[in-house]
Amino acid sequence: SISIIFQKRDQSDTVLMKLKQAEIIFREINNPNGLAQVHFQRANTYLSGGKITEAETEFRNAVSLAREIPDHGTLAKSLAGLGECAFKKADYLKALDFFLNSDSSAEKYEYSYLQLKNAKYLADVYRELKDPEKESVYLRKYLILRDTLYSAQKSKITSEILANFQIERTEAEL
């Protein structure tokens, strides 16, 4: 158990070191998209390690850069990250604001998986805020999105299998 903790910390340190190297390169070549991604990835690394304050700082840096560029995907994901930080700190009103902003962008730019994540968090936030009506709205949205994405994924896999089968059959006939 302790060895797993040290292994995870070592992996996290390695990731952070590589992100620092990437940041230096992106600064040298003046690449704000790359910098925004570095901040976003660093924030997620901190968040997975329970370092909420550090994660918030990095998500804010990513948001700032993403707004300048603009990079709607990084912006929406970073706002969701800030929402997750606020949720973990039990600041539910702040979390609500971040998740609603993220969800608005996710819907506008059709980021389905982010919409799914936001819907789940929004249901959780409204549960904490003791608003069962809105909680059920977002829980239904989450369930519908989850089922839709699952069906789409199964259809894609089925289509790929059929296409491969047809290619193999055509090759066998030749």
Side-chain angles (χ1 to χ4, degrees):
S1 170
I2 291 176
S3 65
I4 292 172
I5 292 170
F6 284 116
Q7 182 182 11
K8 188 168 184 161
R9 190 184 73 206
D10 290 344
Q11 289 172 348
S12 176
D13 290 344
T14 301
V15 169
L16 290 171
M17 184 180 67
K18 288 182 180 186
L19 287 169
K20 184 63 180 170
Q21 292 169 345
E23 179 182 12
I24 291 167
I25 292 167
F26 288 134
R27 283 192 192 286
E28 285 178 3
I29 63 172
N30 193 25
N31 183 333
N33 285 337
L35 282 172
Q37 286 299 313
V38 165
H39 287 294
F40 176 74
Q41 294 301 328
R42 190 180 294 143
N44 281 314
T45 303
Y46 284 138
L47 189 59
S48 69
K51 296 180 177 181
I52 307 302
T53 303
E54 293 88 342
E56 276 183 308
T57 300
E58 293 298 328
F59 280 130
R60 288 185 190 285
N61 289 337
V63 165
S64 178
L65 284 167
R67 282 190 172 133
E68 278 180 39
I69 298 169
D71 177 348
H72 304 293
T74 300
L75 177 61
K77 292 185 298 185
S78 297
L79 287 169
L82 285 167
E84 194 171 343
C85 291
F87 187 85
K88 288 179 184 282
K89 292 168 72 174
D91 189 344
Y92 301 119
L93 292 176
K94 194 180 277 188
L96 178 64
D97 185 50
F98 286 128
F99 283 122
L100 287 172
N101 283 313
S102 174
D103 200 47
S104 175
S105 289
E107 283 183 14
K108 182 176 180 181
Y109 296 102
E110 299 179 5
Y111 301 131
S112 302
Y113 286 98
L114 185 55
Q115 289 178 52
L116 179 70
K117 178 181 177 178
N118 286 335
K120 177 68 172 102
Y121 265 110
L122 283 164
D124 292 344
V125 168
Y126 281 119
R127 183 187 66 245
E128 295 296 332
L129 293 173
K130 311 276 188 260
D131 189 337
E133 282 183 40
K134 289 185 179 172
E135 176 189 1
S136 78
V137 165
Y138 282 98
L139 192 53
R140 276 194 300 273
K141 180 179 178 179
Y142 168 78
L143 294 171
I144 290 167
L145 281 167
R146 184 195 65 189
D147 292 346
T148 301
L149 291 171
Y150 176 75
S151 294
Q153 187 177 19
K154 282 190 79 163
S155 294
K156 181 180 176 188
I157 291 169
T158 303
S159 296
E160 288 173 0
I161 290 170
L162 285 172
N164 287 335
F165 173 74
Q166 289 175 344
I167 290 168
E168 289 173 9
R169 191 173 74 191
T170 303
E171 287 174 352
E173 290 173 357
L174 295 175

